[in-house]
């Protein structure tokens, strides 16, 4: 089992976003140590990262909803943690692998942390080292589809 994987939740309709997404991903996260997956309905992703293929996960039925495709894909990935992206969330600055590593370490030490939002969208009351924040329970946006590091179980 690998420690972490990256999944780009997508669909056939948005395949035109794959090339710019993965080119920027390759530039902005050139040292990404994780397997990268994309989960459209039927299309195969022919893009590459660091010279290697991106793994395409197809659901058994082409009419699966977005959420069912994501659930199916997560069941196929053998890792404890997963970083989720959407295909049109382009990386615009370098990813700090040290922050990802620190995030995973924090989650390993605290089983109550289900996920860490890697793109902060709301103000919070508590800010910790490395910019970690604890979401205010009164926030109007506790969960969203931005980039997160999730514990799979």
């Amino acid at each position: 089992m690998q420690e972490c994987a990256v999944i780009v939740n997508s669909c056939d309709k948005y395949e035109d976003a794959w090339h710019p997404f993965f080119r920027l991903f390759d530039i902005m996260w050139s040292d990404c140590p994780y397997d990268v997956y994309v989960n459209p309905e039927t299309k195969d992703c022919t893009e590459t990262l660091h010279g290697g293929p991106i793994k395409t996960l197809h659901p058994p039925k082409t009419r699966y909803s977005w959420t069912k495709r994501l659930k199916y894909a997560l069941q196929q990935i053998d890792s404890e943690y997963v970083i989720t992206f959407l295909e049109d969330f382009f990386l615009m600055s370098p990813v700090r692998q040290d922050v990802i590593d620190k995030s995973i370490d924090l989650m390993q030490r605290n089983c109550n942390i289900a996920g860490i939002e890697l793109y902060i969208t709301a103000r919070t009351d508590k800010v910790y080292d490395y910019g970690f924040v604890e979401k205010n329970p009164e926030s109007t946006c506790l969960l969203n589809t931005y980039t997160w590091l999730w514990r799979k179980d």
Side-chain angles (χ1 to χ4, degrees), residues 7-19:
I7 183 161
V8 180
N9 206 31
S10 188
C11 64
D12 290 356
K13 252 191 226 185
Y14 294 143
E15 90 174 298
D16 60 336
W18 297 349
H19 182 73

Side-chain angles (χ1 to χ4, degrees), residues 11-76:
C11 64
D12 290 356
K13 252 191 226 185
Y14 294 143
E15 90 174 298
D16 60 336
W18 297 349
H19 182 73
F21 175 89
F22 287 115
R23 290 298 54 84
L24 284 169
F25 190 102
D26 212 12
I27 292 165
M28 297 300 175
W29 199 359
S30 60
D31 63 342
C32 176
Y34 312 122
D35 288 341
V36 178
Y37 300 85
V38 64
N39 70 328
E41 292 96 347
T42 62
K43 301 218 178 209
D44 289 318
C45 182
T46 59
E47 302 295 325
T48 61
L49 286 174
H50 324 308
I54 295 161
K55 298 174 177 149
T56 305
L57 297 172
H58 295 295
K61 297 179 183 177
T62 60
R63 295 289 184 187
Y64 269 17
S65 66
W66 185 89
T67 52
K68 279 189 179 180
R69 279 198 333 276
L70 178 58
K71 183 178 179 181
Y72 171 80
L74 291 171
Q75 291 168 344
Q76 306 311 303

Side-chain angles (χ1 to χ4, degrees), residues 78-95:
D78 189 24
S79 70
E80 187 173 353
Y81 303 98
V82 66
I83 298 172
T84 57
F85 281 92
L86 296 180
E87 77 288 303
D88 60 352
F89 287 8
F90 300 124
L91 290 173
M92 301 306 288
S93 59
V95 172

